[in-house]
Amino acid sequence: MTRIAIVTGGTRGIGKAISLALKDLGYTVAANYAGNDDKAKAFTEATGIATYKWDVGDHDATLAGVKQVEADLGPIDVVVNNAGITRDAVLHKMSFDDWNEVMRINLGGCFNMAKATFPGMRERKWGRIVNIGSINGQSGQYGQVNYAAAKSGIHGFTKALAQEGAKFGVTVNAIAPGYIDTDMVAAVPEAVLEKIVAKIPVGRLGQAKEIARAVAFLCAEDAGFVTGSTLSLNGGQHMY
């Protein structure tokens, strides 16, 4: 049986690596994106993975987007909630819009995607949901009260939904990446990046493919006894 997977934010960075890893393992993958149509088209042409555009923070758009994927590909077995944004600022300079937009997309997107797919997984007695959290949701980070709160919320969301899905064969897990060599991290000033790497015991940034391998494990047929867990992939930077 070919499993159908949706990866949100699945055309760039960590999401792209996840989409490709699942495809290589035989999943039929739909990659969600929110912005650049030209890049999404190029991604599909290069990988053969279908792309679907909607804002995961928009509840109605998410329901409609998932419905379209199911019409095109079939019932959704696997969801990877990877889509996320940053709007960094210290609290006294952070606008409500900066707070709300991060919460709406990063945490609200997980709720919206689960609402669209979890009932079907429950009925079919099989499903895998993997939510991408963050080291900063575990440890906190200066200038990121919105991002840290949203990512921390993802970890709690994961534990609660895992309890609802367990007896129906639906596992819900999270991955908390540390600093990964993506475009987002590449935008950090070199002097700041050097300080970040100096705090990582393994002495380097992580690679997107390392996150993708962990996602693939959690989505596997034989990973049914792993649920409600958060797997930290941060090079030893934060342990708890």
Side-chain angles (χ1 to χ4, degrees):
M1 177 188 299
T2 300
R3 298 294 189 186
I4 312 299
I6 295 179
V7 182
T8 68
T11 65
R12 298 175 59 193
I14 291 173
K16 178 180 179 180
I18 294 168
S19 294
L20 290 172
L22 294 179
K23 179 179 183 289
D24 288 346
L25 290 171
Y27 295 78
T28 297
V29 180
N32 154 268
Y33 74 103
N36 194 308
D37 294 327
D38 290 337
K39 287 186 177 180
K41 182 180 178 181
F43 171 84
T44 296
E45 291 174 349
T47 65
I49 296 172
T51 55
Y52 293 83
K53 184 178 183 178
W54 74 82
D55 173 4
V56 296
D58 183 322
H59 186 72
D60 291 339
T62 299
L63 296 181
V66 169
K67 187 176 181 179
Q68 184 61 58
V69 174
E70 291 183 324
D72 293 346
L73 304 178
I76 306 304
D77 302 299
V78 174
V79 171
V80 182
N81 285 310
N82 168 74
I85 64 168
T86 56
R87 295 288 186 272
D88 296 350
V90 291
L91 180 64
H92 72 278
K93 294 183 178 180
M94 182 178 290
S95 69
F96 176 74
D97 286 344
D98 288 340
W99 165 269
N100 197 50
E101 194 69 356
V102 169
M103 296 298 288
R104 185 184 73 84
I105 293 173
N106 295 17
L107 182 55
C110 291
F111 173 83
N112 294 337
M113 286 297 299
K115 284 291 287 185
T117 60
F118 183 78
M121 294 177 181
R122 189 176 182 271
E123 290 173 7
R124 294 187 299 274
K125 302 294 192 292
W126 199 95
R128 300 284 186 264
I129 297 176
V130 181
N131 302 314
I132 306 301
S134 170
I135 185 175
N136 292 342
Q138 296 173 316
S139 63
Q141 180 60 270
Y142 183 91
Q144 284 196 326
V145 293
N146 49 4
Y147 185 82
K151 291 297 188 178
S152 181
I154 285 173
H155 299 312
F157 175 88
T158 296
K159 293 175 183 179
L161 189 59
Q163 295 180 51
E164 296 184 26
K167 67 180 179 180
F168 298 101
V170 181
T171 67
V172 187
N173 293 287
I175 289 177
Y179 287 88
I180 308 300
D181 189 11
T182 62
D183 290 343
M184 183 184 294
V185 173
V188 174
E190 185 174 351
V192 176
L193 191 57
E194 288 177 358
K195 292 179 180 179
I196 290 172
V197 173
K199 294 179 180 179
I200 302 174
V202 301
R204 64 173 176 86
L205 297 173
Q207 300 294 315
K209 63 183 180 181
E210 294 176 304
I211 307 302
R213 281 197 292 271
V215 172
F217 161 68
L218 292 173
C219 293
E221 298 285 338
D222 57 0
F225 202 60
V226 184
T227 196
S229 294
T230 295
L231 180 59
S232 297
L233 281 78
N234 58 42
Q237 186 176 359
H238 180 70
M239 306 179 191
Y240 81 117

